[in-house]
Amino acid sequence: MTDRPSTDRPATDRPATDRPSAREFLALVTDDFTELPHPGGPSPADGPLGWPGYGAARARAAERTGEDESVVCGTGRVEGVRAVLLAFEFGFLGGSLGRSTGDRLEAAYAYAREHRLPVVPLVATGGSRMQEGMLALTQLQRVARESALTREAGLAQVAVVRDPATGGGWATLGAGADVVLALPGAQVGFAGSRVRPPDADPSAYTAEAQVAAGSADAVVPAGELRATLGQWLRLLTGASDGPAPVPRPLGARDLPVSGWAAVRRARAPERPRAGAYLDAYFTDRAALSGDRCGGTDPGGMLCGFGEHAGRTVAYAAQTGAATRPAGYRTATRLIRLAGRLGIPVLTLVDTPGAANDAAAEREGAGPAIAELFGAVAAARTPVTTLVIGEGGSGGALALAAPGRTWATPDSYFSVIAPELAAAILKRGPGEEEATANQLRLRPQDLTELGLIRTGDQLFPGTGDRRSGERM
């Protein structure tokens, strides 16, 4: 709920004068800001509750900041991309949300939908305005609805969380955005400084902690913010038709002679991994981070948006490690976002399988994989898959597009690892090689079975064969 009393003095340890004003922050990201007209009329002197002294506090805040409300809404170009910008003025009653704030935010979102513009909340708020009671708190519902309508309209929302970003403002305008960027050291969290337990660890309420917990995507220094925000807006507004092209193989070009040879080749340390493929495929890319459920998997799944041949392509790439539940949830988040924005998706399969330790089960491995299977099956834009290494069972298959999966010559795809298959079948030591051959897991075996597609760019001289069945 509300994390601090909204009076005319901001209740934080950092003086308001140390923070850039709303207009100073707008000047940091755009050079042509144009304010939108203010909706609504005058409110009662002491607000809808008749709170004694509220009108005087507003007057002092207006005199001090030059603003008549806690948010400034308008349009501007960020690195060439026009957007609707929502800048909070923390010096005005701690950037708190009241009924008039909700009026302005609602009108700004409506303008964005009418003119097909992305929305950029620049959040610096302490929560809902106590002097307006529940009328202030319910503005969060208005904001949430406007954000949802904008999402349904296929428009991107990229939030920048400043210092502080707490309470309902963080939980709607900030955390509810498609991409969340944060300033270094900013206080970010649902609980503000005055309502936390006295023994709470203050480091948990920081921008850095939110990125680590998967609730924000990146910490960006102020000097890099315009370029980073512009990059994200350019990528997320790059809707296009048609699937992502299949990347060219970076490793072996000859096919493996046996199943065991395919397994050994896919497990070779020197084989090109996801990072090499992404570097070769994209001229520019930006990474999504986190599943928005408290987790990240940077060692197992790389997700983001990049530019390939002048088009935006979303990517979800396994790194060769066992994929953790947070990795699957982040990939699901990416595929659904790309679908809303009309952006094709590239997935790179490379994992021995899903993480199978006790922690993975506690983190919801099964539901996370199920969600990804569902997201790929229901994807609203084309998904192109390339198997670049190990394709270990369902933990790999969840990322593969039915009917649109290719494989490099140094990869394999199997119902289970040969060693585990031999153990389950109670075969003796040394039977892994024969088992691998029986599993028919080589790229050419999978092509003959109608499970993957091939082409000259992957297997020279094969032409283009479409899979006869859906994987």
Side-chain angles (χ1 to χ4, degrees):
M1 294 177 66
T2 307
D3 69 87
R4 55 167 297 276
S6 297
T7 64
D8 59 336
R9 177 176 296 176
T12 67
D13 295 332
R14 181 180 176 185
T17 52
D18 289 352
R19 296 180 176 87
S21 68
R23 295 183 191 272
E24 287 171 339
F25 203 84
L26 285 165
L28 189 67
V29 298
T30 183
D31 294 325
D32 64 347
F33 179 74
T34 302
E35 191 167 357
L36 291 172
H38 298 165
S43 60
D46 284 326
L49 303 186
W51 188 287
Y54 179 40
R58 287 179 58 91
R60 289 193 297 272
E63 182 179 1
R64 182 171 57 247
T65 64
E67 308 295 346
D68 57 0
E69 194 37 85
S70 60
V71 68
V72 179
C73 302
T75 64
R77 294 189 180 275
V78 183
E79 297 287 277
V81 181
R82 189 165 177 251
V84 169
L85 302 160
L86 317 174
F88 278 77
E89 175 53 72
F90 191 79
F92 191 99
L93 304 182
S96 56
L97 281 80
R99 189 163 58 181
S100 179
T101 322
D103 291 340
R104 296 188 184 193
L105 291 171
E106 183 178 61
Y109 272 103
Y111 184 93
R113 292 194 298 274
E114 179 184 357
H115 296 272
R116 304 294 303 166
L117 298 176
V119 178
V120 180
L122 306 172
V123 185
T125 173
S128 300
R129 197 168 296 169
M130 288 188 178
Q131 298 93 330
E132 296 187 21
M134 281 299 296
L135 288 172
L137 188 64
T138 55
Q139 300 310 306
L140 302 179
Q141 294 173 321
R142 293 178 72 187
V143 171
R145 173 172 171 75
E146 292 304 315
S147 178
L149 291 173
T150 303
R151 188 177 301 114
E152 291 174 5
L155 300 170
Q157 299 173 69
V158 182
V160 178
V161 288
R162 299 151 57 198
D163 182 46
T166 59
W170 158 240
T172 52
L173 291 152
D178 300 317
V179 176
V180 181
L181 309 177
L183 294 184
Q187 178 187 174
V188 183
F190 186 62
S193 60
R194 291 189 176 181
V195 299
R196 299 169 192 159
D199 59 347
D201 179 5
S203 67
Y205 304 86
T206 63
E208 290 76 7
Q210 297 296 345
V211 172
S215 298
D217 292 286
V219 172
V220 183
E224 301 173 13
L225 184 59
R226 182 184 292 214
T228 301
L229 181 57
Q231 178 191 37
W232 271 114
L233 291 173
R234 185 177 67 256
L235 291 172
L236 296 183
T237 55
S240 64
D241 295 326
V246 183
R248 293 187 175 275
L250 301 179
R253 300 301 299 271
D254 60 310
L255 292 169
V257 297
S258 68
W260 188 244
V263 172
R264 293 185 62 186
R265 184 186 279 184
R267 293 176 178 173
E270 66 273 13
R271 174 183 54 79
R273 306 291 166 137
Y277 275 91
L278 296 176
D279 286 343
Y281 192 81
F282 292 109
T283 55
D284 179 38
R285 71 179 193 269
L288 282 181
S289 176
D291 62 1
R292 298 300 187 260
C293 298
T296 62
D297 185 21
M301 184 78 78
L302 305 176
C303 294
F305 292 79
E307 184 175 324
H308 174 79
R311 300 172 60 204
T312 298
V313 174
Y315 65 85
Q318 290 170 318
T319 65
T323 308
R324 303 205 63 81
Y328 292 114
R329 284 191 288 262
T330 305
T332 297
R333 173 190 164 207
L334 172 104
I335 291 169
R336 289 174 174 166
L337 174 57
R340 291 201 309 269
L341 301 179
I343 295 171
V345 180
L346 170 70
T347 65
L348 301 179
V349 171
D350 185 9
T351 181
N356 58 5
D357 53 40
E361 292 300 330
R362 286 193 293 267
E363 294 162 7
I369 294 170
E371 282 290 298
L372 181 54
F373 267 118
V376 172
R380 296 164 59 180
T381 52
V383 180
T384 298
T385 299
L386 179 64
V387 186
I388 63 171
E390 292 194 80
S393 194
L397 187 65
L399 201 60
R404 288 197 54 80
T405 294
W406 285 258
T408 65
D410 46 8
S411 69
Y412 78 87
F413 218 140
S414 177
V415 64
I416 195 171
E419 298 91 337
L420 298 178
I424 291 171
L425 296 172
K426 299 182 180 179
R427 295 182 172 180
E431 290 295 312
E432 296 88 354
E433 293 188 28
T435 303
N437 294 333
Q438 285 182 287
L439 286 170
R440 300 202 65 190
L441 47 71
R442 299 176 301 169
Q444 62 265 45
D445 297 327
L446 298 169
T447 301
E448 291 177 7
L449 292 170
L451 299 176
I452 68 166
R453 299 171 63 167
T454 61
D456 280 338
Q457 73 269 39
L458 298 178
F459 308 134
T462 64
D464 182 34
R465 289 182 52 183
R466 293 180 177 268
S467 59
E469 303 175 16
R470 295 177 70 83
M471 179 174 277

